[in-house]
């Protein structure tokens, strides 16, 4: 299973790289195809990002359910093939509407994290699940760091070069998958596809009905909304509070991405082995709570940089939560569970930036009743505390 394992990790990394690869050229590309000012391009950039995240929210459960019915191999290979074609279309797109369609299709094809996680659940022993889910998170983190870096380098060859690179990576992934990826869904675990359960609401209802799972889903969602305070306001907060340049902001985000990859790829295994999943989750949430409290009132940029590795320690929470819920879910619903988690994650990507940036704007404006650019971190702290209390009361039953 070593080669299929590596293929799935590489697929997740390609998904993450494809998202970040095109970020450096999007402002220039939108101005190129649409015209107008950079401010207008920023508006369209927000539309494209929201469309991408919305498709991930809607189609994470669909692909998860499809993988329960037709297999992980089929869903991953079809997604990679369509993804390669989609990047080719975006590479030659001459209008903003074609770019929008490309981002919509891209959001659908990149919603394979649920299928990749279901594969990990299929091939992992119960005590291995947290570590293997952590490797998925690490692969995503590596792709998230490498994507923008590679996109920035390729931008020297024009605004379309990153799309051609993303298309090539997806095509290589498809070819590799055809050669090494087996099917892990058997006739015993296969479950018929049902449209009523293949939408976020239907899948959520089915998974939440499992004993002890409902509060865990709330914990997962609250945690996701909380930690998205970082990408939502970090660039604005660090300029307002510390006067950072774009180079320092990029450097700090790179440190965070590398830290998350290291934590989820390496630390999660010994943490769950020696502490257990519950204590690991408590510790991870505790690190986040401390970080939020400090960042809310911090005025030193140097201390903020030193704090980043501590904030990255909170990344142990997601794989440990996934492992606990996976063990409480029947084998025939592993794809459905991971689809629900992918949908909740995507929903947090939609909601958190809207809420956190609004809070930042209210407390960072000139005539604010209380000047506190770190106010979004206090909101994130409150949400994390609610999740902490809910987790104290949750006890999912294993199947």
């Amino acid at each position: 299973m070593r080669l299929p394992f590596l293929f799935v990790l590489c697929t997740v990394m390609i998904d993450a790289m494809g998202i970040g690869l095109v970020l450096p050229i999007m402002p220039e590309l939108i101005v190129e195809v649409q015209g107008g000012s950079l401010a207008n391009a920023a508006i369209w950039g927000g539309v494209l990002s929201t469309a991408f995240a919305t498709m991930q929210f809607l189609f994470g459960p669909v692909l998860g359910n499809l993988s329960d019915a037709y297999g992980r191999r089929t869903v991953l290979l079809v997604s990679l093939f369509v993804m390669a074609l989609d990047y080719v279309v975006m590479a030659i797109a001459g209008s903003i509407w074609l770019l929008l369609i490309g981002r919509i299709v891209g959001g659908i094809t990149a919603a394979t994290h649920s299928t990749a996680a279901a594969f990990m659940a299929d091939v992992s022993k119960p005590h291995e699940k947290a570590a293997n889910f952590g490797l998925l998170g690490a692969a995503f983190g590596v792709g998230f760091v490498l994507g923008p870096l590679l996109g920035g380098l390729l931008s020297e060859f024009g605004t379309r070069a990153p799309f051609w690179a993303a298309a090539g990576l997806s095509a290589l992934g498809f070819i590799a998958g055809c050669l090494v990826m087996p099917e892990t869904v058997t006739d015993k675990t296969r479950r018929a596809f049902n449209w009523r359960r293949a939408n976020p609401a239907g899948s959520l209802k089915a998974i939440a009905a499992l004993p002890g799972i409902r509060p865990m889903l709330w914990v997962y969602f609250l945690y996701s909304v909380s930690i998205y305070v970082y990408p939502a306001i970090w660039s604005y907060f660090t300029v307002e509070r510390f006067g950072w340049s774009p180079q320092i902001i990029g450097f700090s985000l790179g440190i965070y991405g590398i830290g998350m990859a290291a934590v989820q790829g390496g630390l999660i295994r010994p943490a769950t082995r020696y502490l257990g999943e519950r204590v690991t989750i408590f510790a991870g949430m505790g690190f986040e709570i401390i970080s939020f409290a400090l960042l809310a009132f911090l005025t030193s940029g140097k201390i903020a940089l030193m704090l980043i590795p501590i904030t990255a320690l909170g990344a142990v929470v997601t794989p440990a939560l996934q492992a606990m819920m996976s063990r409480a879910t029947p084998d025939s619903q592993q794809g459905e569970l991971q689809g629900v988690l992918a949908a909740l994650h995507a929903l947090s990507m939609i909601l958190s930036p809207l809420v956190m940036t609004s809070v930042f704007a209210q407390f960072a404006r000139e005539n604010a009743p209380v000047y506190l650019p770190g106010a979004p971190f206090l909101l994130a702290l409150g949400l994390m505390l609610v999740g902490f209390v809910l987790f104290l009361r949750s006890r999912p039953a294993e199947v």
Side-chain angles (χ1 to χ4, degrees):
M1 274 294 173
R2 183 178 298 274
L3 286 177
F5 198 87
L6 290 174
F7 163 73
V8 170
L9 292 178
C10 287
T11 299
V12 171
M13 186 173 69
I14 288 171
D15 286 349
M17 286 184 67
I19 296 170
L21 197 66
V22 301
L23 289 179
I25 52 87
M26 286 306 285
E28 185 178 348
L29 177 63
I30 294 171
V31 171
E32 177 184 311
V33 301
Q34 179 72 3
S37 65
L38 186 62
N40 185 61
I43 294 173
W44 273 107
V47 171
L48 296 178
S49 297
T50 300
F52 187 92
T54 301
M55 291 303 104
Q56 290 208 308
F57 166 68
L58 294 174
F59 282 87
V62 174
L63 295 189
N65 275 271
L66 283 172
S67 75
D68 281 341
Y70 301 106
R72 322 299 184 206
R73 183 180 193 273
T74 300
V75 170
L76 288 175
L77 292 181
V78 170
S79 295
L80 282 168
F81 181 77
V82 176
M83 185 183 294
L85 294 179
D86 180 61
Y87 282 124
V88 170
V89 170
M90 294 190 72
I92 60 176
S95 73
I96 193 68
W97 299 109
L98 200 52
L99 287 176
L100 178 59
I101 292 171
R103 285 283 81 183
I104 289 173
V105 175
I108 297 171
T109 57
T112 53
H113 200 90
S114 59
T115 305
F119 168 84
M120 288 298 188
D122 292 341
V123 301
S124 302
K125 297 176 181 177
H127 68 278
E128 298 174 335
K129 288 188 175 184
N132 288 343
F133 287 142
L135 288 175
L136 282 180
F140 187 90
V142 170
F144 185 78
V145 172
L146 291 179
L149 292 176
L150 185 58
L153 293 174
L154 290 172
S155 66
E156 296 293 327
F157 301 97
T159 57
R160 309 301 175 131
F163 291 111
W164 289 114
L169 285 172
S170 301
L172 286 175
F174 171 76
I175 294 170
C178 289
L179 296 175
V180 306
M181 183 68 179
E183 184 50 69
T184 57
V185 175
T186 65
D187 291 338
K188 181 180 179 181
T189 60
R190 195 179 306 275
R191 182 172 55 83
F193 182 78
N194 186 330
W195 274 110
R196 286 181 297 178
R197 293 174 63 163
N199 61 80
S203 291
L204 181 60
K205 181 179 179 181
I207 292 298
L210 297 172
I213 288 289
R214 186 185 298 273
M216 298 285 286
L217 293 174
W218 274 109
V219 173
Y220 185 89
F221 177 66
L222 290 169
Y223 175 81
S224 297
V225 173
S226 298
I227 63 168
Y228 261 95
V229 68
Y230 294 121
I233 67 142
W234 189 252
S235 298
Y236 310 100
F237 167 74
T238 52
V239 170
E240 177 69 24
R241 180 60 94 182
F242 311 129
W244 281 2
S245 67
Q247 289 76 21
I248 298 177
I249 294 171
F251 175 70
S252 67
L253 290 173
I255 293 175
Y256 183 72
I258 293 170
M260 282 189 64
V263 167
Q264 293 191 330
L267 183 61
I268 184 67
R269 191 180 297 271
T272 53
R273 181 186 303 154
Y274 295 111
L275 301 178
E277 285 157 2
R278 287 191 67 84
V279 176
T280 297
I281 292 169
F282 282 131
M285 296 180 84
F287 282 123
E288 295 290 4
I289 289 169
I290 293 170
S291 298
F292 291 153
L294 293 174
L295 286 168
F297 302 102
L298 202 60
T299 58
S300 169
K302 291 182 180 179
I303 295 178
L305 281 173
M306 295 169 59
L307 192 61
I308 290 174
I310 297 177
T311 67
L313 290 173
V316 296
V317 173
T318 300
L321 271 173
Q322 281 183 287
M324 290 187 70
M325 287 186 277
S326 178
R327 288 205 307 274
T329 302
D331 290 341
S332 61
Q333 290 181 265
Q334 289 295 325
E336 186 170 41
L337 167 66
Q338 301 304 332
V340 167
L341 297 182
L344 291 176
H345 182 75
L347 183 60
S348 69
M349 291 173 63
I350 297 170
L351 295 178
S352 190
L354 295 173
V355 175
M356 298 302 180
T357 53
S358 297
V359 172
F360 174 82
Q362 287 298 315
F363 285 88
R365 55 189 172 90
E366 290 184 3
N367 59 343
V370 177
Y371 178 76
L372 187 63
F377 292 111
L378 291 181
L379 174 59
L381 187 153
L383 294 173
M384 189 71 73
L385 284 174
V386 174
F388 191 91
V389 172
L390 284 175
F391 185 69
L392 277 173
R393 302 173 60 184
S394 65
R395 290 283 178 178
E398 295 187 19
V399 295

